[in-house]
Amino acid sequence: YYQQHQSFFDPTVLGFDREIQFYLGFLEYIEPIRRTGLKFCCPTVTSRDKAVHAVGAYDLALAHLRSSEGATVVTNDFALRDAERIIVISGPNQGGKTTFARMFGQLHFLGRLGCPVPGREARLFLYDNLFSHFEEEEDIRNLQGKLQDDLVRIRRILQQATGDSLIIMNEIFTSTSLEDALFLSQHVLEEMIQLDALGVCVTFIDELSVLGP
């Protein structure tokens, strides 16, 4: 019997072996950050409603870098309640807009994996898919131009997203005029609002913050 079955391994045991290495690796990764005094918490994760919030949250990758340098990490709070679905972030360069967008995505991604998340307290939504649009360099091989690249990528996101998706848009349509960027961005956010999807939109266009409730 031993000779015949010595190569057998139970799939559940094999799966656990791989997964526990990830979780132990994650705990090892966050330990130096914890020693600086930054908090991690086990979030409340729900699929019943989209009221989400976090207290004292921060970008994990930035915190890892800053903790190794002995530098301070600025934390943020956020909350979406009732009909609120999208956080619109505006402000000057180097003000932390993109960092906040990354943080929002990281919290939900890590929470969905069952990991402790960076922050003192968090209530997060159990999304079906996470989509992000961050600026990329123009690819001259496809002969489309940067604006068309953006439109194609964003259209693909909106076609796949559902009301249970998480969508993060970071400074979209920066390659065109302010008037065109406002026109296109309004249509994108209106699609997100119609989907009832949760998301973050980083933008220099203040008008996008008053599109809906």
Side-chain angles (χ1 to χ4, degrees):
Y1 182 88
Y2 170 75
Q3 291 296 329
Q4 186 176 351
H5 298 287
Q6 61 179 323
S7 62
F8 169 78
F9 291 96
D10 184 89
T12 302
V13 175
L14 285 176
F16 176 81
D17 176 62
R18 293 299 303 151
E19 291 173 8
I20 197 65
Q21 290 180 54
F22 166 78
Y23 288 106
L24 292 173
F26 181 78
L27 292 175
E28 185 179 346
Y29 179 82
I30 67 175
E31 183 55 34
I33 302 173
R34 273 186 163 144
R35 286 199 295 266
T36 68
L38 289 169
K39 302 298 183 182
F40 286 83
C41 69
C42 291
T44 300
V45 181
T46 178
S47 60
R48 291 194 302 274
D49 65 74
K50 297 174 183 176
V52 298
H53 72 267
V55 179
Y58 53 93
D59 176 87
L60 186 59
L62 180 62
H64 194 269
L65 174 65
R66 301 281 282 180
S67 64
S68 65
E69 299 171 346
T72 303
V73 174
V74 176
T75 62
N76 287 280
D77 304 344
F78 69 81
L80 290 172
R81 303 184 182 92
D82 303 322
E84 297 170 343
R85 294 291 180 267
I86 302 167
I87 300 174
V88 178
I89 310 171
S90 190
N93 288 329
Q94 303 301 312
K97 300 188 301 298
T98 299
T99 301
F100 184 98
R102 286 203 316 262
M103 176 199 77
F104 188 87
Q106 286 174 14
L107 287 171
H108 282 86
F109 183 73
L110 292 170
R112 196 173 191 274
L113 291 177
C115 293
V117 301
R120 294 201 308 273
E121 177 189 328
R123 175 186 169 88
L124 305 170
F125 183 67
L126 189 64
Y127 61 89
D128 57 6
N129 282 293
L130 192 158
F131 300 97
S132 65
H133 181 282
F134 284 74
E135 193 170 20
E136 292 181 354
E137 290 186 7
E138 184 176 347
D139 186 355
I140 61 173
R141 294 170 298 179
N142 61 23
L143 304 178
Q144 289 186 156
K146 190 167 186 325
L147 177 58
Q148 188 172 349
D149 273 344
D150 280 346
L151 288 167
V152 169
R153 290 171 60 205
I154 291 170
R155 182 172 184 268
R156 192 178 300 127
I157 288 172
L158 294 175
Q159 284 178 329
Q160 297 178 64
T162 72
D164 290 333
S165 297
L166 204 68
I167 304 174
I168 299 172
M169 297 284 182
N170 186 64
E171 295 187 13
I172 55 177
F173 306 130
T174 56
S175 60
T176 188
S177 67
L178 177 59
E179 184 180 358
D180 288 342
L182 175 58
F183 174 79
L184 294 168
S185 299
Q186 282 179 331
H187 278 282
V188 170
L189 258 69
E190 284 166 358
E191 286 280 341
M192 291 172 60
I193 291 168
Q194 190 171 350
L195 280 171
D196 199 42
L198 281 175
V200 171
C201 178
V202 175
T203 180
F204 288 108
I205 305 171
D206 294 337
E207 290 88 341
L208 298 182
S209 65
V210 291
L211 284 182

